[in-house]
Amino acid sequence: MEKVVIIGSGCAGLTAAIYTARASLEPLVLTGAMPGGLLTTTSIVENYPGFAKGIDGTELMMEMQQQAERFGARIQFGSAVDAIDFSGSPLKLTVDGNEVETQTVVIASGAGHRHLGLESEAKLEKKGVTYCATCDGALPMFRDQPLVVVGGGDSACEEATYLTRFASNVYLVHRRDELRASKIMAERTLTHEKIEPVWNSEVTEVLDAGQDKVTGVKVRNNQTGDESTLDCAGLFIAIGHVPNTQLFRGVIDMDDAGYILPKRGQETNVAGVFVAGDCSDHVYRQAVTAAGQGCAAAIEAERYLASLDQ
Ligand code: NAP
């Protein structure tokens, strides 16, 4: 039987792995489909303490993984949890079709990209519609072309700024007339000569002109009702995230949006199950807070295991 199974391998999951591994609990980390989590889709991380010049997101996550492995964490790549049974002790997980029994679980399953929900968006995904500038921005189809970014947060600003390396120009379409992003990111974005904000506007359709690739987007001004078309080769959607918690619905307490509700010390309503990171935090959502929560979850899991031995 496992002592600790960690679901997810982003900042929260790998920090929980470092701490539980150093406590000689030999945690099993199930990476899921995206080892390293969302941070691997970021270019430079400028606000993780300890890196004065910033650090590449993938590099940061690889360092964390190696740090966890150095102390005995076992990383199972690509492994996803198909089902859970938290009705008794031990806790049971079905992982890639096999049953795994464990005394504790740390849920650090993170969050995925929110979609606009347009039919044309789904149809043209990977044909010019994308949710990750770092992953796709350098593709030949986007080089020296006009591109559209949707959103007004830090992600949208980061994507728009990153895309200026490749695009002829970038339209930043936002549904309000001010950005939600932090001041430094907003300023960097709005003063960039290649970025043009399109305020109070919503993308209502992605256009392909019968070519099976993005050729433009239809935009509606929500103040005037006016519709216009922006010609572009790519639509980069950066409108926030949805927590990856569907598997735990009905078992672990969560809010209406699906964010797990932690109690004191990252505990959940199920004994032995702890939570950390973006799957439970819609307020801070930073790499460093996710790491902090992963640390707290690991320490509480360790204390819980010690209490079982008494
Ligand atoms: P976010 O802060 O939640 O911003 C989402 C943006 O998308 C908002 O501007 C929102 O508009 C807009 N939006 C939401 N749903 C929409 C819809 N259906 N249609 C059109 N627009 C929609 O998400 P985020 O930018 O991904 O950032 C998430 C967290 O990560 C934040 O805490 C952020 O600080 C952090 N982050 C930090 C960095 C960094 O520091 N380097 C980089 C990336 C992300 P409204 O403004 O009108 O609500």
Side-chain angles (χ1 to χ4, degrees):
M1 178 164 40
E2 301 290 340
K3 292 191 191 79
V4 184
V5 172
I6 298 168
I7 303 173
S9 56
C11 265
L14 288 178
T15 304
I18 292 166
Y19 274 77
T20 48
R22 287 194 79 235
S24 303
L25 297 174
E26 298 172 335
L28 175 65
V29 181
L30 308 171
T31 66
M34 191 189 269
L38 274 186
L39 219 61
T40 60
T41 67
T42 307
S43 47
I44 189 98
V45 181
E46 289 180 332
N47 51 11
Y48 199 86
F51 298 94
K53 297 186 183 99
I55 181 167
D56 174 80
T58 303
E59 198 183 330
L60 177 62
M61 298 320 296
M62 285 181 70
E63 288 285 341
M64 280 194 202
Q65 181 200 312
Q66 286 163 18
Q67 194 176 356
E69 286 179 315
R70 189 179 137 213
F71 296 112
R74 291 158 301 140
I75 316 276
Q76 210 165 295
F77 288 97
S79 286
V81 181
D82 308 316
I84 53 159
D85 177 359
F86 291 169
S87 58
S89 180
L91 304 160
K92 292 179 186 161
L93 308 166
T94 308
V95 181
D96 301 334
N98 302 312
E99 189 168 279
V100 175
E101 292 187 343
T102 179
Q103 289 178 290
T104 67
V105 170
V106 176
I107 302 173
S109 50
H113 299 288
R114 178 176 285 128
H115 294 200
L116 288 170
L118 303 170
E119 212 173 287
S120 50
E121 170 192 9
K123 185 181 142 207
L124 292 166
E125 185 169 348
K126 297 196 171 73
K127 295 170 181 168
V129 173
T130 153
Y131 301 86
C132 177
T134 322
C135 320
D136 301 329
L139 291 174
M141 68 193 287
F142 299 131
R143 295 256 169 183
D144 301 318
Q145 299 293 322
L147 301 175
V148 169
V149 174
V150 187
D154 280 328
S155 297
C157 288
E158 195 173 72
E159 303 258 300
T161 310
Y162 181 75
L163 288 171
T164 58
R165 300 181 194 191
F166 316 105
S168 59
N169 58 302
V170 177
Y171 299 105
L172 180 64
V173 177
H174 183 36
R175 63 185 180 182
R176 293 187 294 127
D177 64 358
E178 63 176 345
L179 297 175
R180 174 182 295 280
S182 55
K183 203 160 173 251
I184 184 172
M185 298 283 271
E187 265 175 27
R188 201 180 288 170
T189 306
L190 295 176
T191 55
H192 200 292
E193 58 181 8
K194 277 192 174 183
I195 299 174
E196 182 183 331
V198 182
W199 301 118
N200 297 316
S201 295
E202 295 165 31
V203 170
T204 53
E205 192 181 347
V206 194
L207 307 170
D208 69 356
Q211 296 180 37
D212 205 28
K213 65 174 188 183
V214 172
T215 56
V217 293
K218 208 182 262 184
V219 170
R220 188 181 146 275
N221 184 303
N222 56 27
Q223 302 296 302
T224 63
D226 290 349
E227 290 209 327
S228 57
T229 298
L230 296 173
D231 292 333
C232 64
L235 172 63
F236 291 75
I237 299 166
I239 58 169
H241 302 93
V242 280
N244 297 323
T245 55
Q246 299 84 337
L247 186 68
F248 309 104
R249 201 167 275 274
V251 178
I252 300 290
D253 289 347
M254 54 184 77
D255 67 14
D256 292 343
Y259 287 95
I260 291 176
L261 297 166
K263 303 204 282 186
R264 193 199 69 86
Q266 304 305 127
E267 288 170 4
T268 68
N269 56 304
V270 176
V273 180
F274 303 85
V275 67
D278 286 2
C279 64
S280 69
D281 172 20
H282 56 87
V283 179
Y284 302 109
R285 295 181 295 192
Q286 303 298 305
V288 67
T289 48
Q293 291 157 10
C295 161
I299 290 173
E300 292 301 329
E302 192 187 337
R303 287 183 183 158
Y304 174 82
L305 286 166
S307 76
L308 296 181
D309 292 339
Q310 284 166 4

